[in-house]
Amino acid sequence: MADRPKILVTQQVPEAAYPLLEAVGDVEANREEGVIWSADELLQRAPGHDYLYCLVTNTIDARLLEACAAATPRLKLVANMAVGYNNIDVAAATRLNIAITNTPGVLSDTTADLTFGLLMAIARRISEAERFLRAGKFTGWGPLLLCGADVHHATLGIIGMGRIGKLVAKRASGFDMKVLYHNTHRLPAEEEQRYNATYVSLEDLLRQSDFVCLQAPYKPETHHLIGEKELEMMKPSSFLINTARGPMVDEKALVQALQRGTIAGAGLDVFENEPAVEPELLSMENVVLLPHIGSASHQTRTRMATMASENIVAHASEQRPPNILNPEALV
């Protein structure tokens, strides 16, 4: 009887993921809540496993992949419990015939919900107002108390009109917002009509939007997509929303723009050097900060977890993983 494959789960994940994995292999798992293995610890633990189940908090670089490819048994597949995969050196994995999978689609609606919630929170000063009340500062209603910005009929600019961007546009329709978008490729006319979205250049989007929402994938071309020059193009009354990836925004430039009043505020669920946050942001009232919870509903995280497991199960069963990113690595 052939040896059962060895599977390493790098961080605690929803319970539904484990039975699927245990049905096809021997599972070693980090089940300590909140514990994230360091790069060195991962390098020590991962080699000798057939499958690696990881999260965006794990850096799966060429050094780790090469060590895993040289070990016995050799690594066959990395299942990333996320839609984004900038934490993985996919090129190195492909060169080493290591398959990479992700969990697309399932988190789109949940992340769009959070995006719109963040937009509402910064526009209407919800977090600031709650802190004000909890601090005992609320002594009575006043006509100028914590006035914010209207969301209805405002102009929303979406950078990146993929799954999540389209769903954010769909939510904006309920607020009668004007939707502008910028994307690598223009959408077909019927999709533009469906989402009531108008294609514009990045520069026009920044200049015209009351809310600029980042939904593009992170890659070298989108690193610091929003920097000093782009922030200067935005309205002094506008807000920046980022629920995509932190390094798309030059955080130091953002701090300066907020301090100078170049823009009115920002809502951030992701950070350039996550989990570290620029210290100045922490003390700003015109910023809403969240700890990367875009997909954090029980239902969605459970589905993400089982989808990652299903990719491993498929490969272990000699089937094509449903969410393979580099099919050329399958041997």
Side-chain angles (χ1 to χ4, degrees), residues 276-289:
V277 181
E278 283 293 315
E280 294 91 339
L281 290 172
L282 298 171
S283 61
M284 291 181 175
E285 289 288 9
N286 59 338
V287 181
V288 176
L289 306 172

Side-chain angles (χ1 to χ4, degrees), residues 114-115 117-129 131 239-243 254 258 264-271 277 281-293:
L114 188 281
T115 300
L118 194 51
L119 186 155
M120 293 286 293
I122 189 59
R124 294 302 306 273
R125 302 172 69 178
I126 292 172
S127 297
E128 182 184 356
R131 289 192 294 270
F239 301 88
L240 178 69
I241 312 295
N242 188 10
T243 58
L254 177 60
L258 291 164
L268 307 173
D269 184 46
V270 290
F271 303 94
V277 181
L281 290 172
L282 298 171
S283 61
M284 291 181 175
E285 289 288 9
N286 59 338
V287 181
V288 176
L289 306 172
L290 300 177
H292 203 149
I293 59 169

Side-chain angles (χ1 to χ4, degrees), residues 12-61:
Q12 187 183 42
V13 297
E15 285 297 319
Y18 299 107
L20 295 171
L21 299 173
E22 289 164 352
V24 297
D26 295 330
V27 179
E28 177 187 345
N30 172 8
R31 301 189 72 154
E32 296 184 65
E33 185 175 358
V35 173
I36 300 173
W37 288 336
S38 68
D40 287 341
E41 193 166 9
L42 192 56
L43 184 63
Q44 183 179 2
R45 291 175 179 271
H49 289 85
D50 297 89
Y51 297 102
L52 184 61
Y53 182 128
C54 71
L55 292 91
V56 292
T57 46
N58 304 124
T59 298
I60 312 300
D61 57 17

Side-chain angles (χ1 to χ4, degrees), residues 174-186:
F175 287 79
D176 294 317
M177 299 182 84
K178 177 181 179 180
V179 177
L180 307 177
Y181 80 95
H182 181 74
N183 203 41
T184 306
H185 303 290
R186 184 168 180 172

Side-chain angles (χ1 to χ4, degrees), residues 2-328:
D3 291 338
R4 283 163 57 86
K6 296 180 179 179
I7 305 167
L8 180 66
V9 182
T10 65
Q11 196 171 330
Q12 187 183 42
V13 297
E15 285 297 319
Y18 299 107
L20 295 171
L21 299 173
E22 289 164 352
V24 297
D26 295 330
V27 179
E28 177 187 345
N30 172 8
R31 301 189 72 154
E32 296 184 65
E33 185 175 358
V35 173
I36 300 173
W37 288 336
S38 68
D40 287 341
E41 193 166 9
L42 192 56
L43 184 63
Q44 183 179 2
R45 291 175 179 271
H49 289 85
D50 297 89
Y51 297 102
L52 184 61
Y53 182 128
C54 71
L55 292 91
V56 292
T57 46
N58 304 124
T59 298
I60 312 300
D61 57 17
R63 182 179 70 144
L64 176 64
L65 292 167
E66 287 166 359
C68 290
T72 303
R74 76 183 309 278
L75 183 65
K76 300 174 179 65
L77 181 145
V78 177
N80 205 37
M81 191 185 127
V83 62
Y85 47 90
N86 57 289
N87 59 310
I88 302 173
D89 189 334
V90 178
T94 304
R95 171 172 54 83
L96 296 164
N97 292 322
I98 298 171
I100 306 295
T101 64
N102 67 340
T103 59
V106 65
L107 52 72
S108 299
D109 269 300
T110 302
T111 303
D113 286 348
L114 188 281
T115 300
F116 216 84
L118 194 51
L119 186 155
M120 293 286 293
I122 189 59
R124 294 302 306 273
R125 302 172 69 178
I126 292 172
S127 297
E128 182 184 356
E130 186 189 22
R131 289 192 294 270
F132 179 88
L133 185 145
R134 287 180 181 274
K137 297 179 181 179
F138 180 47
T139 58
W141 180 89
L144 301 180
L145 179 65
L146 291 160
C147 288
D150 279 331
V151 173
H152 63 84
H153 296 103
T155 297
L156 172 63
I158 302 173
I159 301 174
M161 201 66 159
R163 291 186 186 93
I164 299 172
K166 291 172 185 175
L167 290 169
V168 172
K170 183 178 178 181
R171 283 150 178 75
S173 66
F175 287 79
D176 294 317
M177 299 182 84
K178 177 181 179 180
V179 177
L180 307 177
Y181 80 95
H182 181 74
N183 203 41
T184 306
H185 303 290
R186 184 168 180 172
L187 299 179
E190 58 270 22
E191 283 201 86
E192 290 187 342
Q193 186 174 4
R194 185 187 312 157
Y195 297 105
N196 195 26
T198 301
Y199 179 82
V200 294
S201 68
L202 178 60
E203 292 76 11
D204 285 343
L205 183 148
L206 293 169
R207 292 189 176 102
Q208 297 178 37
S209 298
D210 299 301
F211 300 91
V212 173
C213 178
L214 293 177
Q215 294 300 338
Y218 178 68
K219 49 189 176 182
E221 297 85 347
T222 58
H223 182 78
H224 283 186
L225 180 67
I226 302 298
E228 182 179 2
K229 182 180 74 171
E230 290 75 23
L231 291 162
E232 289 286 348
M233 293 181 190
M234 293 173 62
K235 299 178 183 180
S237 58
S238 67
F239 301 88
L240 178 69
I241 312 295
N242 188 10
T243 58
R245 285 291 183 265
M248 291 171 65
V249 176
D250 181 340
E251 230 164 78
K252 292 186 183 299
L254 177 60
V255 166
Q256 292 181 349
L258 291 164
Q259 290 172 337
R260 296 170 180 169
T262 304
I263 65 173
L268 307 173
D269 184 46
V270 290
F271 303 94
E272 184 173 358
N273 298 299
E274 199 168 307
V277 181
E278 283 293 315
E280 294 91 339
L281 290 172
L282 298 171
S283 61
M284 291 181 175
E285 289 288 9
N286 59 338
V287 181
V288 176
L289 306 172
L290 300 177
H292 203 149
I293 59 169
S295 61
S297 73
H298 290 295
Q299 299 93 327
T300 293
R301 288 282 171 86
T302 296
R303 186 66 192 106
M304 290 170 66
T306 57
M307 186 181 288
S309 291
E310 287 162 359
N311 283 309
I312 291 175
V313 170
H315 191 280
S317 305
E318 298 184 352
Q319 298 173 12
R320 181 188 175 96
N323 305 115
I324 183 76
L325 292 168
N326 57 342
E328 61 271 34

